[in-house]
Amino acid sequence: MTRTTAMRQATSDDAAAVASIAHALRDESNTSLPPNLDTDMARGWLSRIGEHGAAAIALDGSIPVAFGMVEASPDEPETAELGVWVLPDHRQRGIATQLAEELLALARERGLRRIRGRLPEGNEPALSFLSSIGGMVPLRNPDMTFELPL
């Protein structure tokens, strides 16, 4: 049986799925996720993001394998930070790029004009991913800019 990866907007109902992905990634030292993200914390995070950004989740069949978010800056209302997290067994399949595309569309709908990549220190794969989607942002959303954080 072949499973396909489906993307959809995440809500607070997806808190357990987000927490399970975060739990699976907890031993990776170079992730920008909160260290002990549990279901209650994920629910609060998703609710806050829903008010000031957007979140999306990727499912392989019925199994949550990745999630991402664009979270608006409280100091710069038109600026958001992008983060994408994919389970190790599902990396290198284009899921992160698909999530980024979904999130950029949601960000545009919410009036966000500048996107910054969430880049944990020492995470070369994240740098490569963010660099690769950096050119995609203005190409798909001409009124949007992308910048990697310094």
Side-chain angles (χ1 to χ4, degrees):
M1 178 165 90
T2 303
R3 293 183 292 186
T4 59
T5 304
M7 309 283 159
R8 65 172 171 75
Q9 189 169 349
T11 68
S12 59
D13 291 339
D14 295 305
V18 168
S20 73
I21 293 168
H23 181 75
L25 299 175
R26 74 186 180 287
D27 292 335
E28 293 186 8
S29 62
N30 56 358
T31 180
S32 59
L33 288 169
N36 293 309
L37 187 69
D38 62 20
T39 300
D40 289 335
M41 291 170 60
R43 186 174 292 107
W45 193 26
L46 288 166
S47 294
R48 186 180 73 246
I49 289 169
E51 295 171 12
H52 305 286
I57 192 159
L59 303 159
D60 184 6
S62 63
I63 301 167
V65 297
F67 76 96
M69 63 81 188
V70 283
E71 188 171 15
S73 165
D75 302 326
E76 302 174 70
E78 292 186 345
T79 301
E81 205 172 83
L82 170 74
V84 176
W85 297 272
V86 180
L87 292 176
D89 290 349
H90 290 81
R91 292 178 181 160
Q92 301 295 314
R93 297 182 188 182
I95 295 171
T97 302
Q98 286 179 294
L99 272 174
E101 289 173 351
E102 177 83 14
L103 290 164
L104 292 172
L106 292 168
R108 184 178 65 203
E109 289 173 14
R110 287 163 175 71
L112 298 167
R113 298 175 58 81
R114 186 175 316 121
I115 303 294
R116 291 186 180 131
R118 178 173 280 191
L119 184 59
E121 187 173 330
N123 190 326
E124 291 301 317
L127 175 60
S128 176
F129 164 68
L130 291 170
S131 296
S132 72
I133 67 161
M136 179 177 74
V137 174
L139 181 65
R140 298 203 184 247
N141 301 296
D143 295 330
M144 213 179 259
T145 60
F146 181 84
E147 46 190 75
L148 289 170
L150 298 176

